[in-house]
Amino acid sequence: MTADTAASLLQTPLHALHQEAGARMVPFAGYRMPLQYPLGLLKEHLHTRRAVGLFDVSHMGQIAVRARSGDLADTARALETVVPIDVVGLPPGRQRYGFLTTQGGGILDDLMLANLGDHYLLVVNAANKAADLAHLLDAIGTECTVEPVDRALIALQGPGAEAALARHLPAVAEMRFMDARAVSFQGEDGVIVRAGYTGEDGFEIALPPGSAVALARALLADPDVKPVGLGARDSLRLEAGLCLHGADIDHETSPVEAGLSWAIPKVRRRSGARAGGFPGAERILTELDDGPARLRVGLRPEGRTPVRAGAALYAAADASEPVGRVTSGGFGPSLDGPIAMGVLPSTLAVPGTPVFAEVRGQRLPCAVAPLPFRPAGFKRS
Amino acid sequence: MLKYTDEHEWLRLEGDVATVGITDHAAEQLGDLVFVELPKVGATLTRGAAAAVVESVKAASDVYAPVDGEVTAINEAAVSNPESVGTDPQGAGWLYRVRLSDPSQLDGLMDEAAYRAFVG
């Protein structure tokens, strides 16, 4: 047995709400989490694309980082020794996507990093939060305090998210994509960001348990807002072409191979003012200059058969050796067809290239497809 | 005669041909189905081996052959409309028909009451 035995599973502050809503609960990253509600995965997915989905993502890690000197610039400089993104240039009230890299240039975890004025908030994957915390303490614990923040986290996603949330927190209407702000609800303080993991406009709201439950209940009283489980969260992020750590990215995959080079700005690349200085910089900066040997791609199977994680990819129907593999795959409800992501040699990672995925002994034709599979609905201005 | 397996399939026997599908309990557990793969008519099935595949958004699940035999018909409507297997698994969402090569294999299967007790 693993840590996921029933007795040792943690519950989020929204547990009672999931039970009332009739959720099917499953073990996930040490927590008892809602996989789906009676509406079902397909309809939850489509509802999020059309209206508003409410997700409990309280299992994710929230980590506050503050320089012991009290100077935010010192915190930024310390963080740049663990992530290859531009932290120093991130203005207060803004958030960026990034990743902790390994010494070998792989991805320890991917994360969101927000400048909250007097400290930085990192939101990390549930399954990695203990490892991330240990890594951060080891790497920057001398200069910075690195503290997990025990708050609930609610994601409100979909084209109606702003209208639904503004009824309770009117100021959110002024936020744009990747803004991060302090928030107060029912006398409790938290953080709100305009971002998410679905490809839709939306928000993630971190609040202490009491006010988080109150806000979730208030939001769910709106007929436009439906609770959505982890099942649809996965199909939504796959359609949005977003990586899942442990599947599409891992300790071996570099950010360049993962198609995440956009997150590494010029200032951190070779001949940049703050070039390198993060774990695995040599491999990552070399791949940025020379191009990686392999790349993450989108895949559209030609037929109706879903192609799932682990399936081998071949350059030809009769090829003897695979050239890559599927890292995430399933069915895209909004596309009404199978979709997948995988890794291929860079020479084949060109949209339109035909490849073959092996499913139950058959080679199924797929086309390399641009990501995301559908355009994002972010509010950028 | 309606029989059930502990792999959550049902069989309705008429003569020596059984219509096979997944149970309503299985359909509920699987969630929304998006893809169904059926054996070919004329295929020889071996009890316990995968005969069909049903897939939800999240996962693929094998449907095992409950008996040995030869496939005499398949439900094309289930292939073109996988949702029907989820919404009416014991009616319009049947999967295939098989001519039993050893009718005594039915003896080990459950009746309706036994199956309901089995799934609790």
Side-chain angles (χ1 to χ4, degrees):
Chain A
M1 298 292 276
T2 66
D4 279 357
T5 51
S8 67
L9 286 175
L10 300 169
Q11 295 178 359
T12 77
L14 273 62
H15 186 76
L17 201 149
H18 301 316
Q19 289 192 305
E20 287 166 33
R24 184 187 299 171
M25 305 299 285
V26 293
F28 184 82
Y31 285 79
R32 196 181 291 277
M33 296 300 291
L35 176 67
Q36 63 177 60
Y37 298 85
L39 192 60
L41 197 164
L42 272 179
K43 291 197 175 90
E44 290 170 28
H45 177 116
L46 296 171
H47 182 83
T48 305
R49 293 265 183 254
R50 188 176 58 238
V52 193
L54 185 146
F55 306 71
D56 178 10
V57 288
S58 304
H59 58 316
M60 297 191 73
Q62 302 175 48
I63 301 173
V65 181
R66 292 178 173 83
R68 294 182 193 278
S69 69
D71 185 347
L72 189 74
D74 290 341
T75 322
R77 281 189 287 271
L79 283 166
E80 286 199 353
T81 67
V82 290
V83 296
I85 69 170
D86 179 8
V87 184
V88 169
L90 177 69
R94 294 289 291 164
Q95 169 174 274
R96 263 184 194 143
Y97 175 74
F99 20 81
L100 297 167
T101 49
T102 70
Q103 287 298 339
I107 300 173
L108 193 66
D109 198 6
D110 64 340
L111 51 79
M112 286 291 194
L113 185 152
N115 180 345
L116 295 179
D118 61 347
H119 72 284
Y120 291 89
L121 176 67
L122 278 55
V123 177
V124 304
N125 282 297
N128 298 332
K129 60 187 177 184
D132 292 349
L133 201 59
H135 174 71
L136 288 167
L137 281 168
D138 183 51
I140 61 171
T142 313
E143 311 99 284
C144 300
T145 61
V146 178
E147 292 168 332
V149 189
D150 194 15
R151 282 187 299 228
L153 189 62
I154 299 166
L156 196 69
Q157 301 280 298
E162 179 187 295
L165 189 57
R167 276 183 209 116
H168 310 283
L169 297 165
V172 301
E174 295 152 21
M175 296 175 73
R176 65 195 166 102
F177 183 56
M178 290 297 217
D179 275 352
R181 286 190 181 181
V183 68
S184 186
F185 188 73
Q186 295 196 342
E188 293 190 319
D189 295 330
V191 174
I192 184 163
V193 297
R194 191 159 194 162
Y197 193 47
T198 61
E200 296 298 326
D201 182 25
F203 301 86
E204 290 185 346
I205 309 120
L207 281 168
S211 53
V213 171
L215 179 62
R217 288 192 186 282
L219 289 165
L220 288 168
D222 180 340
D224 260 7
V225 182
K226 304 270 188 227
V228 177
L230 291 180
R233 183 169 159 82
D234 191 54
S235 55
L236 287 159
R237 72 91 195 166
L238 182 57
E239 283 184 348
L242 298 169
C243 291
L244 173 63
H245 192 268
D248 310 296
I249 51 176
D250 55 31
H251 291 197
E252 274 71 53
T253 314
S254 80
V256 186
E257 292 173 329
L260 302 172
S261 303
W262 57 267
I264 308 173
K266 275 200 173 125
V267 71
R268 304 298 314 274
R269 300 188 185 194
R270 280 190 186 135
S271 26
R274 300 192 310 282
F278 52 85
E282 169 136 12
R283 172 182 171 196
I284 292 168
L285 298 182
T286 301
E287 285 183 5
L288 280 169
D289 284 345
D290 301 347
R294 51 180 201 153
L295 265 175
R296 175 174 65 101
V297 296
L299 295 165
R300 283 303 303 260
E302 280 179 18
R304 298 288 296 174
T305 311
V307 170
R308 302 195 184 268
L313 293 171
Y314 294 83
D318 58 355
S320 55
E321 293 298 321
V323 290
R325 70 187 167 85
V326 172
T327 54
S328 282
F331 185 84
S334 302
L335 296 152
D336 191 30
I339 51 171
M341 294 199 292
V343 59
L344 282 175
S346 302
T347 48
L348 296 176
V350 179
T353 305
V355 293
F356 295 82
E358 191 162 278
V359 176
R360 296 184 285 275
Q362 289 191 306
R363 301 274 174 95
L364 305 179
C366 305
V368 174
L371 293 172
F373 292 103
R374 59 190 304 291
F378 305 141
K379 187 185 166 185
R380 292 188 189 271
S381 56
Chain B
M1 184 171 64
L2 191 60
K3 289 283 192 183
Y4 292 84
T5 75
D6 56 7
E7 297 283 357
H8 308 287
E9 290 119 22
W10 57 266
L11 300 83
R12 181 176 289 108
L13 194 70
E14 287 156 67
D16 62 349
V17 173
T19 303
V20 179
I22 64 170
T23 66
D24 48 8
H25 172 80
E28 194 191 318
Q29 292 298 312
L30 292 167
D32 302 310
L33 295 179
V34 297
F35 180 76
V36 171
E37 190 171 283
L38 298 178
K40 291 196 165 42
V41 172
T44 302
L45 301 185
T46 306
R47 180 167 65 167
V53 179
V54 293
E55 302 206 22
S56 68
V57 177
K58 281 198 74 64
S61 305
D62 286 329
V63 183
Y64 302 105
V67 290
D68 295 341
E70 183 190 329
V71 176
T72 60
I74 59 173
N75 184 5
E76 297 283 1
V79 175
S80 54
N81 181 20
E83 212 182 325
S84 67
V85 179
T87 52
D88 191 12
Q90 304 201 203
W94 63 277
L95 296 179
Y96 61 88
R97 295 202 172 94
V98 56
R99 187 181 311 281
L100 276 61
S101 49
D102 179 6
S104 76
Q105 288 181 339
L106 293 174
D107 296 346
L109 302 180
M110 290 176 269
D111 62 14
E112 171 105 30
Y115 179 71
R116 294 298 155 202
F118 173 69
V119 297

